[in-house]
Coordinates of all heavy atoms in Angstrom, one line a residue:
Y81 N 104.3 114.9 75.5 CA 105.7 115.0 75.9 C 106.5 115.7 74.9 O 106.2 115.7 73.7 CB 106.3 113.5 76.1 CG 105.7 112.9 77.3 CD1 104.5 112.1 77.2 CD2 106.3 113.0 78.6 CE1 104.0 111.5 78.4 CE2 105.8 112.4 79.7 CZ 104.6 111.6 79.6 OH 104.0 111.0 80.7
Q82 N 107.6 116.4 75.4 CA 108.4 117.2 74.5 C 109.4 116.3 73.8 O 109.9 116.7 72.7 CB 109.1 118.3 75.2 CG 108.2 119.4 75.6 CD 108.9 120.5 76.5 OE1 109.9 120.2 77.0 NE2 108.2 121.6 76.5
S83 N 109.7 115.2 74.3 CA 110.7 114.3 73.7 C 110.6 112.9 74.3 O 110.0 112.7 75.3 CB 112.1 114.8 74.0 OG 112.4 114.8 75.4
L84 N 111.2 112.0 73.6 CA 111.1 110.6 74.0 C 111.8 110.4 75.3 O 111.3 109.6 76.2 CB 111.8 109.7 72.9 CG 111.6 108.2 73.1 CD1 110.1 107.8 73.1 CD2 112.4 107.4 72.0
I85 N 113.0 111.1 75.6 CA 113.7 110.9 76.8 C 112.8 111.3 78.0 O 112.8 110.7 79.1 CB 115.1 111.6 76.8 CG1 115.9 111.2 78.1 CG2 115.0 113.1 76.7 CD1 116.9 110.2 77.9
R86 N 112.0 112.4 77.8 CA 111.1 112.8 78.9 C 110.1 111.7 79.3 O 109.8 111.6 80.4 CB 110.3 114.1 78.4 CG 111.2 115.3 78.2 CD 111.8 115.9 79.5 NE 110.8 116.3 80.4 CZ 110.8 116.0 81.7 NH1 111.8 115.4 82.2 NH2 109.8 116.4 82.5
V87 N 109.6 111.0 78.3 CA 108.7 109.9 78.5 C 109.4 108.9 79.4 O 108.8 108.4 80.5 CB 108.3 109.2 77.2 CG1 107.4 107.9 77.5 CG2 107.5 110.1 76.3
F88 N 110.6 108.5 79.1 CA 111.3 107.5 79.8 C 111.8 107.9 81.2 O 111.8 107.1 82.2 CB 112.4 106.8 79.0 CG 111.8 105.9 78.0 CD1 111.4 106.3 76.8 CD2 111.6 104.5 78.3 CE1 110.8 105.4 75.9 CE2 111.0 103.6 77.5 CZ 110.6 104.1 76.2
Q89 N 112.1 109.2 81.3 CA 112.4 109.8 82.6 C 111.2 109.7 83.5 O 111.3 109.4 84.7 CB 112.9 111.2 82.5 CG 114.3 111.4 81.9 CD 114.6 112.8 81.5 OE1 113.8 113.7 81.4 NE2 115.9 113.0 81.3
E90 N 110.1 110.0 83.0 CA 108.8 110.0 83.8 C 108.5 108.5 84.2 O 108.0 108.3 85.3 CB 107.7 110.6 82.9 CG 106.4 110.8 83.6 CD 106.4 111.8 84.8 OE1 107.3 112.7 84.7 OE2 105.6 111.6 85.7
F91 N 108.7 107.6 83.2 CA 108.5 106.2 83.5 C 109.3 105.7 84.7 O 108.8 105.1 85.6 CB 108.9 105.4 82.2 CG 108.8 103.9 82.3 CD1 107.8 103.3 83.0 CD2 109.8 103.1 81.7 CE1 107.7 101.9 83.0 CE2 109.7 101.7 81.7 CZ 108.7 101.1 82.4
L92 N 110.6 106.1 84.7 CA 111.5 105.7 85.8 C 111.1 106.3 87.1 O 111.0 105.7 88.1 CB 113.0 106.1 85.4 CG 114.0 105.8 86.5 CD1 114.0 104.3 86.9 CD2 115.4 106.3 86.1
K93 N 110.8 107.6 87.0 CA 110.3 108.4 88.2 C 109.1 107.7 88.8 O 109.0 107.5 90.0 CB 110.0 109.8 87.8 CG 110.0 110.8 89.0 CD 109.8 112.2 88.5 CE 108.4 112.6 88.8 NZ 108.0 113.9 88.1
H94 N 108.2 107.3 88.0 CA 107.0 106.6 88.4 C 107.3 105.3 89.0 O 106.7 105.0 90.1 CB 106.1 106.5 87.2 CG 104.6 106.3 87.6 ND1 103.8 107.3 87.7 CD2 103.9 105.2 87.9 CE1 102.6 106.9 88.0 NE2 102.7 105.6 88.2
E95 N 108.1 104.5 88.4 CA 108.4 103.2 89.0 C 109.1 103.3 90.3 O 108.9 102.4 91.2 CB 109.2 102.4 87.9 CG 108.4 101.9 86.8 CD 107.2 101.1 87.2 OE1 107.2 100.2 88.1 OE2 106.1 101.3 86.6
V96 N 110.0 104.3 90.4 CA 110.7 104.5 91.7 C 109.7 104.8 92.8 O 109.7 104.2 93.9 CB 111.8 105.6 91.6 CG1 112.3 106.0 93.0 CG2 112.9 105.1 90.7
A97 N 108.7 105.6 92.5 CA 107.7 106.0 93.5 C 106.8 104.7 93.8 O 106.5 104.5 95.0 CB 106.8 107.1 92.9
V98 N 106.5 103.9 92.8 CA 105.8 102.7 93.1 C 106.6 101.7 94.0 O 106.1 101.2 95.0 CB 105.4 101.9 91.8 CG1 104.7 100.6 92.1 CG2 104.4 102.8 91.0
S99 N 107.9 101.6 93.8 CA 108.7 100.8 94.6 C 108.7 101.3 96.1 O 108.6 100.5 97.0 CB 110.2 100.8 94.1 OG 110.2 100.2 92.8
E100 N 108.8 102.6 96.2 CA 108.8 103.2 97.6 C 107.5 102.8 98.3 O 107.4 102.5 99.5 CB 109.0 104.7 97.5 CG 110.5 105.0 97.3 CD 110.7 106.5 96.9 OE1 109.7 107.3 97.0 OE2 111.9 106.8 96.7
S101 N 106.4 102.9 97.5 CA 105.1 102.6 98.1 C 105.0 101.2 98.5 O 104.4 100.9 99.6 CB 104.0 103.0 97.0 OG 102.8 102.7 97.5
I102 N 105.5 100.3 97.7 CA 105.5 98.8 98.0 C 106.3 98.6 99.3 O 105.9 97.9 100.2 CB 106.0 98.0 96.8 CG1 105.1 98.1 95.6 CG2 106.2 96.5 97.2 CD1 103.7 97.4 95.8
N103 N 107.5 99.3 99.3 CA 108.3 99.1 100.5 C 107.6 99.6 101.8 O 107.7 98.9 102.8 CB 109.6 99.9 100.4 CG 110.6 99.2 99.5 OD1 110.5 98.1 99.2 ND2 111.6 99.9 99.1
E104 N 106.9 100.7 101.7 CA 106.1 101.1 102.8 C 105.1 100.1 103.3 O 104.8 99.9 104.4 CB 105.4 102.5 102.5 CG 106.3 103.7 102.4 CD 106.9 104.0 103.8 OE1 106.2 103.9 104.8 OE2 108.1 104.2 103.8
L105 N 104.4 99.5 102.3 CA 103.4 98.5 102.5 C 104.0 97.3 103.2 O 103.4 96.7 104.2 CB 102.8 98.0 101.2 CG 101.5 98.6 100.8 CD1 101.1 98.2 99.4 CD2 100.4 98.2 101.8
V106 N 105.2 96.9 102.8 CA 105.9 95.7 103.4 C 106.2 96.1 104.8 O 106.0 95.3 105.8 CB 107.2 95.4 102.6 CG1 108.1 94.4 103.4 CG2 106.9 94.9 101.2
H107 N 106.7 97.3 105.1 CA 107.0 97.7 106.4 C 105.7 97.7 107.3 O 105.7 97.2 108.4 CB 107.5 99.2 106.3 CG 107.8 99.7 107.7 ND1 109.0 99.4 108.4 CD2 107.2 100.6 108.4 CE1 109.0 100.0 109.5 NE2 107.9 100.8 109.6
L108 N 104.6 98.2 106.8 CA 103.3 98.2 107.5 C 102.9 96.8 107.8 O 102.4 96.5 108.9 CB 102.3 98.9 106.7 CG 100.9 99.1 107.4 CD1 101.0 100.0 108.6 CD2 99.9 99.6 106.4
S109 N 103.0 95.9 106.8 CA 102.5 94.5 107.1 C 103.3 93.8 108.2 O 102.7 93.1 109.0 CB 102.7 93.7 105.8 OG 104.0 93.5 105.4
L110 N 104.6 94.2 108.3 CA 105.4 93.6 109.5 C 105.0 94.3 110.8 O 104.8 93.6 111.8 CB 106.9 93.8 109.2 CG 107.5 92.9 108.1 CD1 109.0 93.2 108.0 CD2 107.3 91.4 108.5
A111 N 104.8 95.6 110.7 CA 104.4 96.3 111.9 C 103.1 95.8 112.5 O 102.8 95.7 113.7 CB 104.3 97.8 111.7
E112 N 102.2 95.4 111.5 CA 100.9 94.9 111.9 C 100.8 93.4 112.1 O 99.8 92.8 112.3 CB 99.8 95.2 110.8 CG 99.6 96.7 110.6 CD 98.4 97.2 111.4 OE1 97.4 96.6 111.4 OE2 98.6 98.3 112.0
K113 N 102.0 92.8 112.0 CA 102.1 91.3 112.1 C 101.2 90.6 111.2 O 100.6 89.5 111.5 CB 101.9 90.8 113.5 CG 102.9 91.3 114.5 CD 102.8 90.6 115.8 CE 103.9 90.8 116.8 NZ 103.9 92.2 117.4
D114 N 101.0 91.1 110.0 CA 100.2 90.5 108.9 C 101.1 89.8 108.0 O 101.5 90.3 106.9 CB 99.3 91.6 108.2 CG 98.4 91.0 107.2 OD1 98.5 89.8 106.8 OD2 97.4 91.7 106.8
Y115 N 101.4 88.5 108.3 CA 102.4 87.8 107.5 C 101.8 87.3 106.2 O 102.6 87.1 105.2 CB 103.0 86.6 108.4 CG 103.6 87.2 109.6 CD1 103.1 87.0 110.9 CD2 104.7 88.0 109.5 CE1 103.7 87.5 112.0 CE2 105.3 88.6 110.6 CZ 104.8 88.4 111.8 OH 105.4 88.9 112.9
A116 N 100.5 87.1 106.1 CA 99.9 86.7 104.8 C 100.1 87.9 103.8 O 100.5 87.6 102.6 CB 98.5 86.4 105.0
T117 N 99.8 89.1 104.2 CA 100.0 90.2 103.3 C 101.5 90.4 103.0 O 101.9 90.7 101.9 CB 99.4 91.5 104.0 OG1 98.0 91.3 104.1 CG2 99.7 92.7 103.1
H118 N 102.3 90.2 104.0 CA 103.8 90.3 103.8 C 104.2 89.3 102.7 O 105.0 89.7 101.8 CB 104.5 90.0 105.1 CG 106.0 90.2 105.0 ND1 106.8 89.1 104.8 CD2 106.8 91.3 105.1 CE1 108.1 89.6 104.7 NE2 108.1 90.9 104.9
N119 N 103.7 88.1 102.8 CA 104.1 87.1 101.8 C 103.5 87.5 100.5 O 104.2 87.4 99.4 CB 103.5 85.8 102.3 CG 103.9 84.6 101.4 OD1 105.1 84.5 101.1 ND2 102.9 83.8 101.0
F120 N 102.3 87.9 100.4 CA 101.7 88.4 99.1 C 102.5 89.5 98.5 O 102.7 89.5 97.2 CB 100.3 88.8 99.4 CG 99.6 89.5 98.3 CD1 99.1 88.8 97.2 CD2 99.4 90.9 98.3 CE1 98.4 89.5 96.2 CE2 98.8 91.6 97.3 CZ 98.3 90.9 96.2
L121 N 103.0 90.4 99.3 CA 103.7 91.5 98.7 C 105.1 91.2 98.1 O 105.6 92.0 97.4 CB 103.9 92.6 99.8 CG 102.6 93.3 100.2 CD1 102.8 94.2 101.5 CD2 102.1 94.2 99.1
Q122 N 105.6 90.0 98.5 CA 106.9 89.7 97.9 C 107.0 89.7 96.4 O 107.9 90.0 95.8 CB 107.4 88.4 98.5 CG 107.6 88.4 100.0 CD 108.4 89.6 100.5 OE1 109.5 89.9 100.1 NE2 107.7 90.3 101.4
W123 N 105.8 89.2 95.8 CA 105.7 89.2 94.4 C 105.9 90.6 93.8 O 106.6 90.8 92.8 CB 104.3 88.7 94.0 CG 104.2 88.5 92.5 CD1 104.6 87.5 91.7 CD2 103.7 89.5 91.6 NE1 104.3 87.7 90.4 CE2 103.8 89.0 90.3 CE3 103.1 90.8 91.7 CZ2 103.3 89.7 89.1 CZ3 102.7 91.5 90.6 CH2 102.8 90.9 89.3
Y124 N 105.3 91.6 94.5 CA 105.4 93.0 94.0 C 106.8 93.5 94.2 O 107.3 94.4 93.4 CB 104.4 93.9 94.8 CG 103.0 93.7 94.3 CD1 102.2 92.6 94.8 CD2 102.5 94.5 93.3 CE1 100.9 92.4 94.3 CE2 101.2 94.3 92.8 CZ 100.4 93.2 93.3 OH 99.1 93.0 92.8
V125 N 107.5 93.1 95.3 CA 108.9 93.5 95.5 C 109.8 93.1 94.4 O 110.5 93.9 93.8 CB 109.4 93.0 96.9 CG1 110.9 93.2 97.0 CG2 108.7 93.5 98.1
T126 N 109.6 91.8 94.0 CA 110.4 91.3 92.8 C 110.0 92.0 91.5 O 110.9 92.4 90.7 CB 110.2 89.8 92.7 OG1 110.4 89.2 93.9 CG2 111.1 89.2 91.6
E127 N 108.8 92.2 91.3 CA 108.3 92.9 90.1 C 108.8 94.3 90.0 O 109.3 94.7 88.9 CB 106.7 92.9 90.2 CG 106.0 93.5 88.9 CD 106.1 92.6 87.7 OE1 106.6 91.4 87.8 OE2 105.8 93.1 86.6
Q128 N 108.8 95.0 91.1 CA 109.3 96.4 91.1 C 110.8 96.4 90.8 O 111.3 97.3 90.1 CB 109.0 97.1 92.4 CG 107.6 97.6 92.4 CD 107.2 98.4 91.2 OE1 106.3 97.9 90.5 NE2 107.9 99.4 90.8
M129 N 111.6 95.5 91.3 CA 113.0 95.5 91.0 C 113.2 95.3 89.5 O 114.0 96.0 88.9 CB 113.7 94.3 91.8 CG 114.2 94.6 93.1 SD 115.0 93.4 94.0 CE 115.0 91.9 93.1
E130 N 112.4 94.4 88.9 CA 112.5 94.2 87.5 C 112.1 95.5 86.7 O 112.8 95.9 85.7 CB 111.7 93.0 87.0 CG 112.3 91.7 87.4 CD 111.3 90.5 87.1 OE1 110.3 90.7 86.4 OE2 111.6 89.4 87.6
E131 N 111.0 96.1 87.1 CA 110.5 97.2 86.3 C 111.4 98.4 86.5 O 111.7 99.1 85.5 CB 109.1 97.6 86.8 CG 108.1 96.4 86.4 CD 106.7 96.9 86.2 OE1 106.3 97.9 86.9 OE2 106.0 96.2 85.4
E132 N 111.9 98.7 87.7 CA 112.9 99.8 87.9 C 114.1 99.5 87.0 O 114.6 100.4 86.4 CB 113.3 99.8 89.3 CG 112.7 101.0 90.0 CD 113.3 101.2 91.4 OE1 114.5 101.8 91.5 OE2 112.7 100.8 92.4
N133 N 114.6 98.3 87.0 CA 115.8 98.0 86.3 C 115.6 98.2 84.8 O 116.4 98.8 84.1 CB 116.2 96.5 86.6 CG 117.5 96.1 86.0 OD1 118.4 96.9 86.0 ND2 117.6 95.0 85.4
T134 N 114.4 97.7 84.3 CA 114.1 98.0 82.8 C 114.1 99.5 82.5 O 114.7 99.9 81.5 CB 112.7 97.4 82.5 OG1 112.8 95.9 82.7 CG2 112.4 97.6 81.0
A135 N 113.4 100.2 83.4 CA 113.3 101.7 83.2 C 114.7 102.3 83.2 O 115.0 103.2 82.4 CB 112.4 102.3 84.2
R136 N 115.6 101.9 84.1 CA 116.9 102.4 84.1 C 117.7 102.1 82.9 O 118.4 103.0 82.3 CB 117.7 101.9 85.3 CG 117.3 102.5 86.6 CD 118.4 102.7 87.6 NE 117.9 103.5 88.7 CZ 117.1 103.1 89.7 NH1 116.8 101.8 89.7 NH2 116.6 103.9 90.6
I137 N 117.6 100.9 82.4 CA 118.4 100.4 81.2 C 117.9 101.3 80.0 O 118.8 101.8 79.3 CB 118.2 98.9 81.0 CG1 118.9 98.1 82.0 CG2 118.6 98.5 79.6 CD1 118.6 96.6 82.0
L138 N 116.6 101.4 79.9 CA 116.1 102.2 78.7 C 116.5 103.7 78.8 O 116.8 104.3 77.8 CB 114.6 102.0 78.6 CG 114.2 100.5 78.3 CD1 112.7 100.4 78.4 CD2 114.7 100.1 76.9
N139 N 116.5 104.2 80.0 CA 117.0 105.6 80.1 C 118.5 105.7 79.8 O 118.9 106.7 79.1 CB 116.7 106.1 81.6 CG 115.4 106.8 81.7 OD1 115.3 108.0 81.5 ND2 114.4 106.0 82.1
D140 N 119.2 104.8 80.2 CA 120.7 104.8 79.9 C 120.9 104.7 78.4 O 121.8 105.4 77.9 CB 121.4 103.6 80.6 CG 121.5 103.8 82.1 OD1 121.2 104.9 82.6 OD2 121.9 102.9 82.8
K141 N 120.1 103.9 77.8 CA 120.3 103.7 76.3 C 119.9 105.0 75.6 O 120.7 105.5 74.7 CB 119.4 102.6 75.8 CG 119.9 101.2 76.0 CD 119.1 100.2 75.4 CE 119.6 98.8 75.7 NZ 120.9 98.4 75.2
L142 N 118.9 105.7 76.0 CA 118.5 106.9 75.4 C 119.5 108.0 75.6 O 119.7 108.9 74.7 CB 117.1 107.3 75.9 CG 115.9 106.6 75.2 CD1 114.6 107.0 75.9 CD2 115.8 106.8 73.7
E143 N 120.1 108.1 76.8 CA 121.1 109.0 77.1 C 122.3 108.9 76.1 O 122.8 109.8 75.6 CB 121.7 108.8 78.5 CG 120.8 109.3 79.6 CD 120.7 110.8 79.8 OE1 121.6 111.5 79.2 OE2 119.8 111.2 80.5
L144 N 122.6 107.6 75.9 CA 123.7 107.2 75.0 C 123.4 107.6 73.5 O 124.3 108.1 72.8 CB 124.0 105.7 75.1 CG 125.3 105.2 74.8 CD1 126.3 105.6 75.9 CD2 125.3 103.6 74.8
I145 N 122.2 107.4 73.1 CA 121.8 107.6 71.8 C 121.7 109.1 71.4 O 122.1 109.5 70.3 CB 120.4 106.9 71.5 CG1 120.5 105.4 71.5 CG2 119.8 107.4 70.2 CD1 119.2 104.7 71.6
G146 N 121.2 109.9 72.4 CA 121.0 111.3 72.1 C 120.1 111.6 71.0 O 119.0 111.1 70.9
E147 N 120.6 112.3 70.0 CA 119.8 112.7 68.8 C 120.1 111.8 67.6 O 119.6 112.1 66.5 CB 120.1 114.2 68.5 CG 119.7 115.2 69.5 CD 118.2 115.2 69.8 OE1 117.4 115.2 68.8 OE2 117.8 115.1 71.0

Side-chain angles (χ1 to χ4, degrees):
Y81 289 88
Q82 286 176 343
S83 64
L84 190 59
I85 187 99
R86 296 288 302 134
V87 174
F88 281 87
Q89 284 167 347
E90 189 62 28
F91 176 40
L92 176 58
K93 198 173 104 189
H94 201 93
E95 287 304 319
V96 169
V98 173
S99 297
E100 282 169 4
S101 178
I102 295 290
N103 281 348
E104 286 297 316
L105 262 173
V106 171
H107 180 75
L108 182 67
S109 68
L110 286 178
E112 297 266 317
K113 297 193 170 69
D114 184 342
Y115 301 112
T117 297
H118 182 265
N119 187 45
F120 168 76
L121 288 170
Q122 297 314 302
W123 184 87
Y124 286 85
V125 171
T126 307
E127 183 71 9
Q128 277 315 118
M129 270 182 358
E130 285 174 12
E131 294 205 332
E132 250 192 79
N133 188 39
T134 300
R136 282 215 171 77
I137 289 170
L138 294 172
N139 269 275
D140 288 349
K141 281 188 186 293
L142 281 174
E143 289 283 347
L144 205 67
I145 290 165
E147 296 297 311

